[in-house]
């Protein structure tokens, strides 16, 4: 083709593709709502799209448009959309990402929008994850505990007691068992601690660790007490004293540890419950794995979580209709479909009773038994937490786990430097 | 100057090492795209997939509208490249030939403008485009890409214009050609390699761009390839590695093809400004 024709073709195509518009609102009395979903796994996307299709089939006047978002960039993308007044009507996110948007006035307070059925179906401890100040800014609907994924054959052969949600390992027992399982270049556990802060803080709740303490004046301070030290000390001692935890995985993400796990280098890997999907996909044929509850401390199996949430934009002109769609999406049967698609647990009490979530296949039952112990992650509502995490806690925990600093130094840095950061946000 | 055999061997080794360094990510991407999930989870990764499969490509196409997204990317990148060179060529000519205070200030501004981070401009830009009703349209995205690539394109072209002897233009003027005629008939043909190189730069920048496309396009049907690729990545960076690699491999092909097709022109273009006449 001659250059001139090529140029003409390109310009024609460009003009054809350059149709502006879109946008939410009403056309000919028909409302269109934009639902930005962060579902990404095949089954999960399918479940979401099917539900949108079912809604659209039964609600001719309120059409929902499915928009695919991405976990990787959701915060920046939403912030820009909010600032520009172009946010989606219904927003999928995680509860620990909502604080800035809620305090910034970008999200609608859902207390008067949601039906009583949905309010009573989700336990108070879950609602707390999306409560900021006096308002509720998201409906928590999916969550996952951190569990131990174990090489079942290895554990059986070693003759160790297999923990259950009723009789979990204590933290000292866990340390003792990983020591027994280690040797000859193999390790009892591989901690993927690329993001050490949330993992440490959420698991520390089992030992009664709170770290963030809110005073009577409402201000939050960091205190690294004895209960806060149980989990970090266990991890540190496994890696640096007992050598029962692989030192190389401390800087890795969860997926990075799986090849070593399948290859028989580690007996156990602490991972989110949803990692089972990757294990089912990638494990070699005949590899026998099982889900074990995370170790328990003075407060039992308690664990912090940041559930996935559905929120409604404050600027949406159709908040009532958006809330009706959220209610439809989170009816017990639909919540189960979403949970199965994401390999996670639903927050709704009715959905949790569904037999599909109590099967031994892929150890759904073990995870479901932990649902009652999941509470709001300690850092959720603390303003300044992201900066504290990035600038103070992440390097401090990484250095402690690698053996570069002592527990006393860790404590000093978390408290002294941490409180300086938090104070700036609370003036 | 003579080079000893040892030194020459060292140069070849260094060149080979550099080529391996450059090629490694791409070759690994291709290898990953053809591996089964079980092979991806293996403790002993292999260069050549033991059981090559097209399942990742099938899954990638089933799950995401890759072709449609690729077409959107192509429209945005072609549009940005064409408009950028059409605007930049006469501007570069003026800046190269008229060494006034204004031209020098413009050159300075071009350099400074490259230092602005995306996040600094995105919200004002979003509001401006919203007022122009250009949010959620490829036209708006093309406009942003043109503005974004224009300073560097201009900077590149100024160098190429300066390499064209001004005497040729003076001769054309003596023959009675006006300024526009001189630019179109005399200077532009000599600038062709530089224009191609500049257009390619603008094309590749727009083809790979992610953040503006993510923020400015709302409708799923209008999303570009880099945005669609992130849909294979889940919370905490967990990725559906096989389909992601398959889709990313396909996404790199157009750039490679364009480079392969006009490689000789680019080389010419790059050398044009290299030696001062």
């Amino acid at each position: 083709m001659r250059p001139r024709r090529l140029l003409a073709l390109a310009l024609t195509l460009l003009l054809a593709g350059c149709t502006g518009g879109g946008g939410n609102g009403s056309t000919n009395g028909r409302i269109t709502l934009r639902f930005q979903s962060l579902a990404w796994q095949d089954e999960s996307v399918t479940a979401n799209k099917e539900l949108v299709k079912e809604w659209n089939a039964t609600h001719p006047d309120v059409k929902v448009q499915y928009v695919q978002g991405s976990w990787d960039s959701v915060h920046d993308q939403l912030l820009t959309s909010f600032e520009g007044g172009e946010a989606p009507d219904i927003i999928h996110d995680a509860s620990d990402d909502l604080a800035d948007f809620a305090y910034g006035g970008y999200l609608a307070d859902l207390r008067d929008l949601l039906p009583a059925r949905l309010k009573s179906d989700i336990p108070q401890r879950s609602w707390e994850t999306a409560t900021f100040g006096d308002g509720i800014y998201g409906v928590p609907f999916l969550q996952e505990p951190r569990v131990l994924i174990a090489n079942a054959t290895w554990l059986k052969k070693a003759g160790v007691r297999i923990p259950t949600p009723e009789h979990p390992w204590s933290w000292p027992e866990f340390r003792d068992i990983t020591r027994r399982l280690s040797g000859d270049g193999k390790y009892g556990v591989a901690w993927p601690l690329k993001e050490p802060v949330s993992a440490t803080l959420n698991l520390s709740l089992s030992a009664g660790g709170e770290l963030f303490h809110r005073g009577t004046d409402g201000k939050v301070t960091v205190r690294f007490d004895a209960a806060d030290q149980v989990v970090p000390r266990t991890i540190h001692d496994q890696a640096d004293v007992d050598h029962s935890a692989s030192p190389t995985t401390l800087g890795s993400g969860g997926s990075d540890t799986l090849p070593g796990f399948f290859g028989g280098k580690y007996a156990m890997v602490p991972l989110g419950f949803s990692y089972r999907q990757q294990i089912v996909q990638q494990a070699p044929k005949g590899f026998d794995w099982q889900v074990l509850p995370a170790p328990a401390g003075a407060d039992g199996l308690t664990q912090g979580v940041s559930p996935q949430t559905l929120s409604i934009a404050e600027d949406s002109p159709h908040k009532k209709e958006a809330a009706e769609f959220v209610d439809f999406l989170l009816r017990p049967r639909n919540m189960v479909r979403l949970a199965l698609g994401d390999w996670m647990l639903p927050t709704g009490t009715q959905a949790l009773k569904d037999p599909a979530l109590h099967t031994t296949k892929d150890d759904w039952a073990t995870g479901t038994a932990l649902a009652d112990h999941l509470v709001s992650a300690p850092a959720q509502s603390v303003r300044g937490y992201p900066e504290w995490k990035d600038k103070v806690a992440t390097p401090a925990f990484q250095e402690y786990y690698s053996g570069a600093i002592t527990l006393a130094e860790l404590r000093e840095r978390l408290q002294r430097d941490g409180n300086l950061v938090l104070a700036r946000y609370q003036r | 100057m003579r080079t000893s055999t040892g030194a020459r061997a060292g140069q070849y080794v260094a060149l080979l090492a550099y080529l391996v360094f450059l090629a490694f990510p791409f070759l690994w991407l291709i290898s990953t795209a053809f591996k089964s999930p079980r092979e991806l989870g293996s403790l002993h990764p292999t260069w050549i997939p033991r059981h090559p499969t097209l399942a990742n490509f099938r899954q990638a196409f089933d799950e995401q509208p890759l072709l449609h997204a690729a077409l959107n990317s192509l429209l945005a990148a072609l549009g940005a490249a064409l408009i950028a060179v059409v605007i930049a060529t006469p501007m570069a000519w003026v800046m190269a030939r008229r060494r006034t205070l204004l031209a020098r200030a413009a050159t300075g501004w071009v350099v400074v403008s490259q230092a602005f981070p995306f996040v600094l401009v995105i919200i004002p830009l979003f509001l401006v485009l919203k007022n122009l009703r250009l949010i959620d349209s490829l036209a708006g995205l093309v406009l942003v890409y043109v503005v974004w690539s224009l300073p560097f394109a201009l900077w590149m072209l100024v160098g190429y214009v300066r390499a064209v002897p001004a005497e040729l233009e003076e001769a054309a003027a003596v023959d009675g050609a006006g300024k526009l005629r001189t630019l179109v008939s005399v200077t532009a043909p000599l600038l062709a390699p530089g224009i191609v190189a500049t257009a390619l730069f603008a094309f590749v920048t727009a083809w790979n761009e992610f953040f503006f496309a993510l923020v400015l396009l709302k409708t799923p049907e209008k999303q570009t390839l880099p945005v669609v690729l992130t849909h294979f990545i889940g919370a905490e960076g967990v990725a559906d590695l096989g389909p992601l690699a398959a889709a990313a491999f396909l996404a790199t092909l157009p750039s490679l093809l364009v480079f392969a097709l006009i490689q000789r022109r680019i080389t010419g273009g790059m050398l044009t400004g290299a030696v001062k006449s």
Side-chain angles (χ1 to χ4, degrees):
Chain A
M1 203 180 283
R2 291 176 65 87
R4 253 182 228 173
R5 282 194 194 166
L6 249 179
L7 181 71
L9 176 69
L11 285 172
T12 313
L13 282 171
L14 183 66
L15 288 170
C18 289
T19 47
N24 49 3
S26 316
T27 339
N28 301 329
R30 185 172 155 177
I31 292 168
T32 300
L33 301 172
R34 278 192 301 126
F35 164 40
Q36 179 169 296
S37 166
L38 301 180
W40 69 282
Q41 300 188 73
D42 197 16
E43 298 145 295
S44 174
V45 173
T46 306
N48 274 275
K49 284 184 174 172
E50 278 175 5
L51 287 168
V52 168
K53 209 171 159 185
E54 287 168 26
W55 166 274
N56 286 337
T58 50
H59 296 78
D61 296 332
V62 183
K63 191 186 171 230
V64 172
Q65 184 191 28
Y66 180 91
V67 180
Q68 184 72 61
S70 117
W71 283 106
D72 208 26
S73 48
V74 65
H75 188 87
D76 291 340
Q77 188 245 345
L78 281 177
L79 186 63
T80 317
S81 306
F82 283 134
E83 287 284 348
E86 292 282 339
D89 300 273
I90 301 134
I91 296 159
H92 182 187
D93 203 349
S95 62
D96 59 358
D97 194 39
L98 296 185
D100 285 347
F101 297 143
Y103 287 120
Y106 297 123
L107 299 176
D109 183 353
L110 303 176
R111 283 175 299 175
D112 296 331
L113 287 167
L114 298 174
R117 176 204 72 75
L118 188 57
K119 282 182 190 165
S120 61
D121 187 42
I122 294 173
Q124 184 54 31
R125 60 174 184 277
S126 294
W127 284 117
E128 281 166 14
T129 62
T131 302
F132 302 97
D134 292 333
I136 295 174
Y137 295 94
V139 185
F141 71 111
L142 289 179
Q143 57 187 350
E144 62 172 335
R146 199 170 286 266
V147 293
L148 298 171
I149 310 271
N151 181 325
T153 313
W154 190 338
L155 260 58
K156 243 178 258 166
K157 212 180 271 179
V160 299
R161 180 178 80 80
I162 304 296
T164 61
E166 295 75 33
H167 302 287
W169 287 330
S170 65
W171 283 101
E173 193 181 2
F174 173 55
R175 187 179 157 189
D176 182 50
I177 284 169
T178 56
R179 205 163 31 206
R180 283 171 55 193
L181 295 169
S182 305
D184 295 332
K186 296 184 175 185
Y187 298 94
V189 66
W191 285 97
L193 288 177
K194 192 176 173 184
E195 301 281 347
V197 184
S198 63
T200 308
L201 263 57
N202 289 340
L203 285 173
S204 287
L205 286 179
S206 69
E210 287 179 35
L211 203 74
F212 295 102
H213 299 269
R214 199 173 286 275
T216 47
D217 57 355
K219 290 189 175 174
V220 176
T221 50
V222 180
R223 224 170 49 226
F224 192 60
D225 295 334
D228 297 296
Q229 297 170 11
V230 174
V231 173
R233 200 167 43 213
T234 304
I235 298 171
H236 170 272
D237 290 354
Q238 285 175 321
D240 293 307
V241 180
D242 308 336
H243 303 291
S244 60
S246 165
T248 54
T249 62
L250 289 173
S252 307
S255 303
D256 306 327
T257 58
L258 291 182
F261 177 59
F262 299 143
K265 278 186 79 175
Y266 329 119
M268 288 177 277
V269 190
L271 292 170
F273 192 51
S274 63
Y275 271 87
R276 292 168 305 137
Q277 196 251 4
Q278 286 208 10
I279 291 170
V280 167
Q281 263 196 350
Q282 296 182 5
K285 277 179 190 158
F287 184 82
D288 191 11
W289 58 277
Q290 72 182 113
V291 175
L292 309 175
D299 277 12
L301 287 164
T302 307
Q303 222 183 90
V305 285
S306 300
Q308 294 187 20
T309 52
L310 291 173
S311 302
I312 296 172
E314 176 63 18
D315 280 351
S316 170
H318 307 294
K319 293 192 193 71
K320 189 173 135 290
E321 291 79 4
E324 283 167 7
F325 175 70
V326 170
D327 178 42
F328 165 79
L329 211 58
L330 302 185
R331 283 179 195 162
R333 181 63 201 133
N334 295 344
M335 217 191 251
V336 172
R337 288 162 71 183
L338 294 172
L340 290 171
D342 257 328
W343 293 67
M344 295 176 96
L345 299 177
T347 54
T349 45
Q350 288 303 313
L352 270 169
K353 290 177 187 163
D354 195 288
L357 301 174
H358 292 267
T359 60
T360 51
K361 187 176 182 299
D362 302 326
D363 279 348
W364 274 101
T366 307
T368 308
L370 301 173
D372 285 346
H373 303 280
L374 305 179
V375 298
S376 179
Q380 285 243 117
S381 57
V382 178
R383 300 199 82 177
Y385 168 73
E387 186 181 338
W388 174 81
K389 185 182 81 168
D390 293 342
K391 290 187 180 166
V392 178
T394 299
F397 275 117
Q398 281 171 343
E399 286 177 48
Y400 175 62
Y401 289 145
S402 67
I405 58 171
T406 63
L407 189 67
E409 285 170 291
L410 172 69
R411 180 172 185 267
E412 174 76 0
R413 281 171 57 175
L414 291 178
Q415 292 190 167
R416 185 197 57 206
D417 299 350
N419 283 323
L420 282 173
V421 170
L422 294 193
R424 277 199 289 111
Y425 288 83
Q426 301 182 94
R427 276 176 199 144
Chain B
M1 194 166 64
R2 283 196 167 182
T3 312
S4 70
T5 315
R8 186 167 295 171
Q11 286 172 350
Y12 280 119
V13 169
L15 182 65
L16 190 67
Y18 186 58
L19 286 176
V20 169
F21 173 75
L22 287 182
F24 176 79
F26 186 63
L27 294 176
W28 193 250
L29 182 74
I30 298 173
S31 169
T32 305
F34 288 97
K35 283 178 180 169
S36 67
R38 289 191 204 292
E39 212 171 335
L40 286 171
S42 168
L43 184 58
H44 306 290
T46 48
W47 268 106
I48 312 286
R50 281 192 293 264
H51 307 288
T53 173
L54 291 173
N56 292 325
F57 291 89
R58 274 196 296 273
Q59 194 182 335
F61 277 103
D62 285 349
E63 284 180 20
Q64 300 296 338
L66 290 179
L67 280 179
H68 197 83
L71 181 66
N72 290 339
S73 284
L74 192 67
L75 288 171
L78 271 180
L82 283 172
I83 298 170
V85 291
V86 166
I87 297 175
T89 306
M91 282 174 74
W93 186 75
V94 171
M95 285 168 71
R97 295 287 184 246
R98 303 270 177 272
R99 301 199 176 193
T100 61
L101 187 65
L102 186 66
R104 279 203 293 275
T107 310
W109 175 245
V110 163
V111 176
V112 171
S113 70
Q114 292 297 294
F116 293 147
F118 280 21
V119 285
L120 196 73
V121 296
I122 188 68
I123 290 175
L125 188 70
F126 190 94
L127 293 171
V128 169
L129 288 174
K130 192 186 164 199
N131 289 333
L132 294 172
R133 296 181 181 274
L134 284 174
I135 292 288
D136 199 27
S137 79
L138 283 180
L141 192 66
V142 168
L143 188 66
V144 171
Y145 287 166
V146 169
V147 172
W148 202 253
S149 59
L150 201 54
F152 197 75
L154 201 53
W155 204 25
M156 279 175 82
L157 278 170
V158 167
Y160 293 123
V161 175
R162 284 192 182 140
V164 175
E167 293 79 3
L168 289 175
E169 292 172 9
E170 286 162 12
V174 170
D175 289 344
K179 283 194 172 18
L180 186 65
R181 178 75 188 271
T182 306
L183 178 62
V184 172
S185 304
V186 178
T187 316
L190 293 168
L191 277 180
I195 291 174
V196 170
T198 308
L200 189 67
F201 153 77
F203 178 88
V204 173
T205 305
W207 178 266
N208 292 329
E209 201 283 327
F210 166 71
F211 191 57
F212 286 133
L214 172 81
V215 168
L216 298 178
L217 301 174
K218 295 184 296 178
T219 312
E221 291 75 28
K222 290 178 184 164
Q223 288 181 333
T224 57
L225 208 46
V227 176
V228 170
L229 285 183
T230 64
H231 298 163
F232 293 104
I233 301 172
E236 294 180 24
V238 182
D240 211 349
L241 209 53
L244 175 63
F249 168 56
L250 294 174
T252 55
L253 288 183
S255 296
L256 285 179
L257 277 175
V258 173
F259 265 108
L261 286 173
I262 55 177
Q263 183 196 11
R264 288 171 69 188
R265 288 207 161 213
I266 302 171
T267 315
M270 283 175 171
L271 293 176
T272 303
V275 181
K276 205 172 176 183
S277 60

